[in-house]
Every structure is written in C-alpha cells, then in structure tokens.
C-alpha cells in the first residue's frame, strides 16, 4: 500500500505562483509513475501532469509552459510548480501514484486563483 500526503494549496491572485507537494510512503518501491490531477466543481477529474522514470514528463495542453512537475527521490516527494496562474486553474488538485495494479490518490488540496 502507498500513502500520499499533499500540501501547498491556497488562494493566489491571477499571475501568481504556488508549489504543491506530494509525499509518498509505504510500498513506494512499486511506484512507476506519479502525477497531478485536478477537478473543478461540476467537472471531471483531469490529468494535469505526470512524471515517470522511463518516459519523463507529460503535461496537459492547458498548463504547458506554466506548470512544472518534478521529483525528489531522496524525499519520496513529487512537486508541481505552478506559475502564471489563471482563474481557470481553480480546482482541487489530487496527487496520484501508479503502482500496478494499484492506483492511489491523495486527499486533495484546494487551489483558488482570483481574478
């Protein structure tokens, strides 16, 4: 079993920055990729960015050039640096770890971007 704890959400003005953190514990040796998803009210949960040791990084078109996903293997932590934030980035952001056949979610952290 993998456990994920997220932090770093909050309220920021448009154009500002936030950094989200996701610390993994438990059976982390089985994790082959980690990612960030987001879910706005009334909408589905969408992939924002993903990082794997084999394939590198992936970004949704909506965040390319503004968000950066990175990992610190020594700390078992994945980060999402979010710059040039827009009101449409407002959502609950969820960390995810893939350790087949298991898919683990964090508790979510609220990001609110004011106009």
């Amino acid at each position: 079993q993998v456990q994920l704890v997220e932090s770093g959400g909050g309220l920021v003005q448009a154009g500002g920055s936030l950094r989200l953190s996701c610390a993994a514990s438990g059976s982390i040796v089985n994790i082959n990729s980690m990612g960030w998803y987001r879910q706005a009210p009334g909408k589905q949960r969408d992939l924002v960015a993903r990082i794997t040791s084999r394939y590198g990084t992936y970004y949704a078109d909506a965040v390319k050039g503004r968000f950066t996903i990175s990992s610190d293997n020594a700390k078992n932590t994945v980060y999402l640096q979010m710059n040039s934030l827009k009101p449409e980035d407002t959502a609950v952001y969820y960390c995810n770890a893939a350790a087949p056949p298991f898919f683990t979610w964090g508790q979510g952290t609220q990001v609110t971007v004011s106009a």
Side-chain angles (χ1 to χ4, degrees):
Q1 292 278 2
V2 174
Q3 295 81 41
L4 302 172
V5 178
E6 302 145 345
S7 60
L11 173 64
V12 65
Q13 289 187 331
S17 298
L18 284 173
R19 189 176 80 156
L20 306 182
S21 300
C22 174
S25 61
S27 301
I28 58 174
V29 66
N30 299 320
I31 296 174
N32 61 18
S33 70
M34 293 187 70
W36 289 94
Y37 290 69
R38 67 186 181 186
Q39 187 168 20
K43 296 189 176 181
Q44 66 181 20
R45 189 174 298 185
D46 291 325
L47 176 63
V48 174
R50 194 149 199 95
I51 186 166
T52 72
S53 57
R54 184 172 184 179
Y55 299 110
T57 57
Y58 165 86
Y59 296 94
D61 288 343
V63 306
K64 280 181 182 177
R66 300 189 298 122
F67 290 12
T68 302
I69 189 170
S70 62
S71 63
D72 184 335
N73 293 334
K75 296 182 179 179
N76 301 321
T77 299
V78 171
Y79 304 97
L80 185 67
Q81 177 67 44
M82 305 185 293
N83 299 328
S84 302
L85 283 160
K86 304 175 181 180
E88 51 263 44
D89 294 318
T90 295
V92 178
Y93 284 69
Y94 296 91
C95 180
N96 169 270
F102 302 107
F103 223 48
T104 302
W105 294 97
Q107 80 280 7
T109 185
Q110 177 70 47
V111 171
T112 302
V113 184
S114 62

